[in-house]
């Protein structure tokens, strides 16, 4: 209630000062319609391909109002397609049906493919907007330094919303006084896997600002394991049998030391030189769970190299390295999409592989 009064006061105050905000600041266009401001107090919603029409793209299209064939297709598709809530309900209920489906591999694979594709279709491709371009442009499409956005940014100089106090949010939402086990009985490994995985493409370029990324692959390229540049990759490679550099501590394989390979890593100041490990991503030394996964993937890469070398004794270092990297990209994607995502969404559909696949030797 208080906030509403504040907002009303604030807006009347700015009107009083003669300072009118861009009408698109209020985000009047619904259903992913795009707002175009026309002067200081008028706007127009572009409802193209949203399946809606009207001043604010709020009226569902039925039989009338299709200006193009593509509009009609959008309508037919969206009418036949079950909504995301229905799909989610089906995937998270009727366990007995899923138990049967999971045993029929072609059925299971087809449904899994549908789930993954329908999720990826939620994201516009090719990319449309970014922080500097609220309209479609070649620059937004071709300049890979930008993070892309599905919706255009708000106009500049919109009023800042009345945000709650950060300390209060932390205390209300995050602070716990007693241990509450996860109802799905997953562990911290789960959260660290996701964090490790997403750092390969969410890699903000703080030199250029939060709108920019340094991860120019924009996807699962395992740049966080092999380094984002060729120079870093070369410093991390052993150049023998395709392997990455490593050290052996108490009979176990660990990443090499920063002082031995000379790649940039961020560590807190008190960490001694003999505990500064060097891996693909420069911040992984800051969080133990991330360094743990970096170590697991290093071991996996070198294990795959051993298998490759046995299968193809005539392959050189480069070919073994490149092939092992592709295999790890596949493993990482498959683990993420077939184990992490279903566990995250609590869906019953599963592949038969257990999270750590048993070695078939
Ligand atoms: C569209 O949104 C504006 C601003 O929220 C509102 O004033 C107007 O009545 C809406 N128009 C329709 C047709 O709903
Ligand atoms: C991408 O855009 C930014 C900001 O305009 C610019 O600094 C950078 O040079 C551009 N990158 C390329 C490859 O053109």
């Amino acid at each position: 209630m208080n906030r509403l009064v504040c907002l009303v006061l604030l807006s009347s105050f700015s009107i009083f000062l003669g300072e009118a905000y861009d009408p698109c600041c209020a985000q009047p266009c619904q259903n992913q319609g795009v707002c175009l401001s026309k002067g200081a107090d008028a706007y127009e919603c572009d409802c193209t391909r949203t399946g809606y029409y009207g001043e604010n793209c709020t009226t569902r299209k039925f039989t009338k109002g299709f200006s193009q064939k593509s509009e009609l297709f959008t309508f037919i598709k969206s009418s036949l397609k079950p909504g995301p809530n229905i799909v989610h309900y089906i995937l998270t209920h009727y366990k007995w049906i899923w138990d049967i489906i999971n045993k029929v591999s072609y059925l299971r694979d087809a449904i899994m493919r549908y789930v993954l594709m329908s999720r990826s279709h939620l994201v516009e491709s090719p990319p449309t907007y970014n922080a500097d371009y609220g309209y479609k442009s070649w620059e937004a499409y071709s300049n890979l330094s930008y993070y892309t956005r599905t919706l255009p940014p708000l106009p500049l100089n919109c009023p800042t919303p009345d945000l709650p106090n950060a300390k209060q949010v932390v205390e209300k939402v995050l602070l716990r006084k007693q241990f509450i086990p996860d109802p799905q009985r997953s562990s911290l490994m789960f959260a660290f896997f996701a964090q490790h995985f997403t750092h390969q493409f969410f890699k903000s370029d703080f030199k250029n600002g939060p709108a920019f990324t340094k991860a120019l692959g924009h996807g699962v390229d395992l740049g966080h394991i092999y380094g984002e540049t060729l120079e870093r990759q070369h410093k991390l490679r052993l150049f023998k049998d395709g392997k990455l550099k490593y050290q052996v501590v108490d009979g176990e394989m660990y990443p090499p030391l920063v002082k031995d390979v000379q790649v940039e890593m961020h560590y807190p100041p008190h960490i001694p030189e003999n505990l500064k490990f060097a891996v693909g991503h420069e911040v992984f030394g800051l969080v133990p769970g991330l360094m743990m996964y970096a170590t697991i993937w290093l071991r996996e890469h070198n294990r795959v190299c051993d298998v490759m070398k046995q299968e193809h004794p005539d392959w050189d270092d480069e070919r073994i390295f490149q092939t092992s990297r592709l295999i790890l990209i596949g493993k990482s994607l498959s683990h993420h999409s077939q184990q992490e995502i279903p566990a995250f969404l609590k869906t019953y559909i599963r592949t038969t592989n257990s999270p750590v696949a048993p070695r078939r030797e």
Side-chain angles (χ1 to χ4, degrees), residues 132 139 143 145-146 208 212:
D132 288 335
E139 185 65 15
N143 187 334
S145 309
Y146 280 103
N208 283 318
F212 295 93

Side-chain angles (χ1 to χ4, degrees), residues 28 43 55-56 58:
Y43 68 89
E55 192 184 339
N56 302 322
T58 46

Side-chain angles (χ1 to χ4, degrees), residues 45-71:
C45 294
D46 181 355
C47 314
T48 310
R49 286 178 164 238
T50 60
Y52 291 82
Y53 69 102
E55 192 184 339
N56 302 322
C57 310
T58 46
T59 315
R60 198 90 171 84
K61 277 195 172 163
F62 287 106
T63 45
K64 59 164 196 156
F66 298 113
S67 50
Q68 299 165 339
K69 233 204 260 169
S70 63
E71 293 278 282

Side-chain angles (χ1 to χ4, degrees), residues 196-253:
H196 181 265
F197 187 83
T198 53
H199 271 305
Q200 70 191 298
F201 40 82
F202 294 144
K203 197 170 181 192
S204 297
D205 180 358
F206 292 106
K207 270 192 209 118
N208 283 318
F212 295 93
T213 176
K214 287 195 281 183
L216 301 183
H218 289 263
V220 182
D221 58 2
L222 266 42
H224 60 332
I225 296 171
Y226 299 105
E228 140 206 311
T229 61
L230 193 59
E231 190 199 351
R232 190 175 178 100
Q233 182 207 103
H234 282 182
K235 286 179 174 174
L236 292 168
R237 278 173 63 177
L238 191 60
F239 287 108
K240 189 172 180 302
D241 300 339
K243 290 189 179 181
L244 292 169
K245 284 180 186 158
Y246 62 93
Q247 55 171 324
V248 176
V249 182
D250 291 335
E252 294 186 324
M253 189 186 291

